Amino acid sequence: MVAQGFTVDLTKPLVFQVGHLGEEYEEWVHQPIATKEGPRFFQSDFWEFLTLTVWWAVPVIWLPVVVWCISMSVSMGCSLPQIVSVVVMGIFIWTFIEYFLHRFVFHIKTKSYWGNTLHYLIHGCHHKHPMDHLRLVFPPTATAILCIPFWNIAKAISTPSTAPALFGGGMLGYVLYDVTHYYLHHAQPTRPVTKNLKKYHLNHHFRIQDKGFGITSSLWDIVFGTLPTTKAPRKQQ
């Protein structure tokens, strides 16, 4: 289904076009178009709607889940020190999941029709249109699906009473990640820490896209040797 010399028409829905790029997809998707308004994905209004998420939906939907999970551990007898330590551990584990997903799933290299199409839906769209404000945070449906294996992992590595708080800590880490991610793209930080985070992340988008996979911190980039180094910027399309 890959078409030789295929050219994507940005005025038409993109999702079922990008697969035709074949091996050229990798280069195409990493030539960012920095406009706030993104392209249309699907011809269907219903499927198009499911790809759009306002940033504030993340804390509105998932913070109550965090509170509910923590309250479950409290109701099962966990003390305040236990709750705090387990929630912090959950946040810490999330930072690793954030790095792992970004590096090994979101940046997987594809060249088949369906591989390119799936990658574009998962993360390629964000690199092609990094300032698209309605396709920056995870859609709630995708997050809910990912919650299933993560909840099972939390149960496997903790006790019945601490598993909810551990999962809640991981969910809190996720909320902080997605809100931070949106902030780094669309806000104008004034504090040194957030200014450096913004510079670090936009460097990943516009200069060195195979390094700098951490969003909320560079911790795991340091651990695994993926800190970016100075390199000539890519040309924007």
Side-chain angles (χ1 to χ4, degrees):
M1 297 179 69
V2 172
Q4 294 296 323
F6 182 81
T7 300
V8 172
D9 186 346
L10 295 174
T11 67
K12 296 179 180 179
L14 292 189
V15 168
F16 295 120
Q17 291 190 67
V18 299
H20 292 298
L21 288 168
E23 293 181 352
E24 296 175 1
Y25 169 77
E26 179 72 17
E27 181 179 0
W28 176 86
V29 83
H30 288 114
Q31 294 174 341
I33 300 174
T35 56
K36 187 175 181 181
E37 300 301 324
R40 189 172 180 91
F41 274 24
F42 295 100
Q43 191 70 42
S44 163
D45 290 338
F46 172 74
W47 291 110
E48 183 72 7
F49 171 75
L50 291 182
T51 70
L52 306 174
T53 308
V54 291
W55 73 267
W56 47 262
V58 173
V60 167
I61 293 171
W62 298 112
L63 283 182
V65 175
V66 171
V67 173
W68 179 66
C69 288
I70 293 173
S71 68
M72 286 179 62
S73 286
V74 171
S75 69
M76 286 187 278
C78 288
S79 65
L80 180 60
Q82 283 180 305
I83 293 293
V84 171
S85 62
V86 171
V87 168
V88 170
M89 179 58 68
I91 295 173
F92 179 74
I93 291 172
W94 166 259
T95 65
F96 176 75
I97 294 172
E98 168 194 317
Y99 175 88
F100 181 88
L101 287 176
H102 193 185
R103 180 179 178 184
F104 296 107
V105 179
F106 296 167
H107 278 265
I108 190 171
K109 296 186 184 301
T110 65
K111 59 182 180 180
S112 69
Y113 178 86
W114 289 111
N116 291 349
T117 301
L118 182 61
H119 179 267
Y120 183 78
L121 277 169
I122 293 174
H123 193 63
C125 59
H126 179 53
H127 269 267
K128 188 63 181 178
H129 293 87
M131 306 309 289
D132 183 347
H133 68 297
L134 291 177
R135 293 194 180 95
L136 207 157
V137 299
F138 273 40
T141 303
T143 306
I145 293 171
L146 287 173
C147 280
I148 297 171
F150 291 153
W151 167 244
N152 287 324
I153 291 172
K155 289 195 299 181
I157 64 175
S158 58
T159 65
S161 62
T162 59
L166 182 65
F167 180 78
M171 286 301 301
L172 180 57
Y174 157 69
V175 171
L176 294 172
Y177 149 78
D178 238 353
V179 172
T180 300
H181 191 194
Y182 188 92
Y183 176 84
L184 296 181
H185 276 266
H186 292 288
Q188 297 300 324
T190 56
R191 297 177 181 274
V193 172
T194 48
K195 285 176 71 174
N196 287 336
L197 271 180
K198 182 180 178 79
K199 180 180 178 181
Y200 188 78
H201 184 57
L202 294 188
N203 186 57
H204 169 73
H205 274 283
F206 294 101
R207 290 178 60 85
I208 310 172
Q209 294 160 340
D210 58 352
K211 303 284 185 182
F213 298 105
I215 308 296
T216 53
S217 82
S218 58
L219 170 64
W220 297 108
D221 284 309
I222 295 171
V223 172
F224 293 110
T226 52
L227 273 174
T229 54
T230 303
K231 173 173 151 177
R234 291 177 179 266
K235 294 180 181 179
Q236 294 188 30
Q237 180 173 304

